[in-house]
Amino acid sequence: EDQVTQSPEALRLQEGESSSLNCSYTVSGLRGLFWYRQDPGKGPEFLFTLYSAGEEKEKERLKATLTKKESFLHITAPKPEDSATYLCAVRSQTGANNLFFGTGTRLTVIP
Amino acid sequence: ETGVTQTPRHLVMGMTNKKSLKCEQHLGHNAMYWYKQSAKKPLELMFVYNFKEQTENNSVPSRFSPECPNSSHLFLHLHTLQPEDSALYLCASSRALDATGGYTFGSGTRLTVV
């Protein structure tokens, strides 16, 4: 059965304090790992798709990496506007019509 | 504006009421989805439509009834709901079922069943 576990559940950072969010997954044939950002009262906003171990994607202060068992979302010198819940999702060979989501990491960046 | 519009944004309904949620996208996407998001739980897939045809029903109770009249519009008809159905209902769309760019989500309808 496909499983996605995100840690930590919540993270508080000082502005400028870099850190990483973790997404561990177990799937039957990975066909994509997705990162989303969700602000309160809004739907998730797509950030990255990663397909194979060793792949990396970057966008502003965010960098996503992928291994065979987990993905990291690295946040470099975060700003208060980076505060949000970050969701990880996977698509597997058996669940091709579905993105299987984790419960998210709620990030708060303090000025 | 995300490109996927959901109405209403908030809905309070009694257990005997009938209401409908609406989702609209003008992104030219061919696949549309309904997800349920409850506190402390992962997003849960409910239904998938591809070119107006339902391709997946994730064991959703019959009190939830989807309708997809065309590739741009998706409805979720609700009747005789239970308090545990209170949640954020999210609509999403994608170019194809296995689109590399992921899904575009609407802002959701916050449903409260009293």
Side-chain angles (χ1 to χ4, degrees):
Chain A
E1 182 179 306
D2 298 343
Q3 279 195 325
V4 176
T5 303
Q6 291 189 247
S7 62
E9 185 175 321
L11 181 63
R12 290 172 64 89
L13 298 174
Q14 289 292 134
E15 184 172 0
E17 179 187 1
S18 302
S19 189
S20 297
L21 313 183
N22 178 263
C23 172
S24 298
Y25 64 90
T26 304
V27 295
S28 53
L30 182 69
R31 290 186 60 184
L33 185 140
F34 300 77
W35 282 99
Y36 286 83
R37 168 192 171 128
Q38 186 172 22
D39 292 297
K42 294 190 176 182
E45 176 188 347
F46 171 73
L47 293 173
F48 305 109
T49 309
L50 302 167
Y51 287 101
S52 55
E55 190 175 357
E56 299 183 353
K57 294 271 180 77
E58 281 189 72
K59 180 179 179 180
E60 295 180 358
R61 295 176 293 281
L62 301 177
K63 182 169 121 176
T65 62
L66 181 66
T67 72
K68 289 187 177 180
K69 294 182 179 180
E70 57 192 350
S71 176
F72 291 94
L73 185 65
H74 306 279
I75 303 177
T76 302
K79 297 182 178 181
E81 52 262 42
D82 295 322
S83 297
T85 295
Y86 290 86
L87 301 171
C88 170
V90 297
R91 176 184 285 140
S92 69
Q93 287 183 341
T94 55
N97 291 349
N98 183 23
L99 293 186
F100 192 84
F101 283 83
T103 52
T105 293
R106 188 174 69 255
L107 174 67
T108 303
V109 181
I110 305 162
Chain B
E1 177 58 54
T2 65
V4 176
T5 303
Q6 289 188 243
T7 54
R9 291 296 309 274
H10 301 274
L11 178 62
V12 179
M13 60 186 288
M15 290 190 284
T16 59
N17 291 160
K18 289 185 180 182
K19 296 286 184 183
S20 295
L21 310 185
K22 179 181 176 182
C23 176
E24 185 174 354
Q25 59 92 5
H26 296 290
L27 300 169
H29 289 172
N30 298 309
M32 296 187 78
Y33 313 80
W34 280 116
Y35 275 88
K36 175 182 179 182
Q37 187 174 33
S38 303
K40 304 278 188 180
K41 291 185 178 180
L43 271 73
E44 178 185 345
L45 179 71
M46 300 177 72
F47 302 103
V48 180
Y49 279 82
N50 191 38
F51 291 97
K52 305 190 304 177
E53 299 299 320
Q54 187 179 124
T55 59
E56 189 144 348
N57 175 338
N58 196 26
S59 303
V60 180
S62 60
R63 57 186 184 270
F64 295 91
S65 174
E67 179 190 0
C68 189
N70 54 61
S71 291
S72 298
H73 294 85
L74 186 64
F75 295 89
L76 188 62
H77 303 298
L78 315 172
H79 65 97
T80 59
L81 295 190
Q82 304 298 312
E84 58 264 30
D85 296 322
S86 298
L88 181 68
Y89 288 85
L90 291 162
C91 173
S93 70
S94 63
R95 189 171 294 109
L97 286 177
D98 59 351
T100 57
Y103 302 167
T104 301
F105 283 86
S107 293
T109 294
R110 172 68 63 185
L111 173 67
T112 303
V113 181
V114 297

